[in-house]
Amino acid sequence: MQQTLKLIGIDGEDVSILDAKSMPQGFYAYGTQVTDTRVFAQGYRWDANGNSGTYVIFAIGDIGGDEIQLVTRDLPMNEYLYSVASQGDHLILASYQTPGIHDLDATDLADMTLEKKADVMSYVYSVTLNGNGDLCTMGPYGLEAVDLQ
């Protein structure tokens, strides 16, 4: 199935398609985060034959423009990374295999970087970003403060 991402413009009662991009074949989205500058969609991309593929992040940049800027970043398969928060040009991911917190920096869409910021003691349920010691909730293990700066 081919999926198309469309950007529309609304001016009073007039609606027009400003841009459209085809999503890569076999993309299955299961996590979305929106900030004032980016839309992040996390998912899995199957290969053309429907076989096992790759965990991937799609980043859509420059919200408010007349053009869709869509880039992808493959995620490592040995760590199951899942999005837990976002702010500005950054997507915060937690890892399951080796519990930790990671920062995907999408400031430069052509060169997105992924950096592990901290190890944590358990599975992370959510992250609250406050800039002065971000908080991870970890179910029965309580809260843990991490520095994502």
Side-chain angles (χ1 to χ4, degrees):
M1 175 175 76
Q2 182 61 48
Q3 301 173 26
T4 303
L5 182 64
K6 295 178 182 176
L7 176 65
I8 62 168
I10 301 173
D11 184 15
E13 294 181 15
D14 297 326
V15 177
S16 60
I17 296 176
L18 302 175
D19 196 11
K21 298 275 192 237
S22 293
M23 298 292 284
Q25 196 78 8
F27 177 65
Y28 170 78
Y30 56 83
T32 303
Q33 295 277 337
V34 179
T35 72
D36 56 345
T37 60
R38 300 280 184 261
V39 174
F40 296 100
Q42 181 179 2
Y44 193 78
R45 182 175 50 218
W46 299 92
D47 73 10
N49 299 318
N51 298 317
S52 183
T54 306
Y55 292 108
V56 65
I57 296 289
F58 287 86
I60 302 167
D62 293 334
I63 294 173
D66 292 341
E67 182 180 329
I68 298 171
Q69 295 179 333
L70 174 66
V71 296
T72 63
R73 171 73 155 75
D74 290 349
L75 297 175
M77 292 297 286
N78 60 338
E79 290 280 353
Y80 174 67
L81 296 170
Y82 53 98
S83 59
V84 289
S86 60
Q87 187 173 39
D89 297 335
H90 296 263
L91 177 66
I92 307 305
L93 301 121
S95 54
Y96 181 76
Q97 190 68 22
T98 306
I101 297 296
H102 307 256
D103 176 27
L104 177 73
D105 184 347
T107 303
D108 179 358
L109 287 173
D111 186 29
M112 292 189 290
T113 58
L114 180 65
E115 178 184 1
K116 188 170 191 178
K117 292 293 193 173
D119 290 311
V120 293
M121 66 171 34
S122 177
Y123 179 89
V124 175
Y125 289 81
S126 66
V127 172
T128 301
L129 303 174
N130 68 17
N132 296 323
D134 306 300
L135 292 175
C136 300
T137 58
M138 295 180 292
Y141 296 97
L143 299 171
E144 188 167 336
V146 296
D147 183 10
L148 296 174
Q149 303 302 322

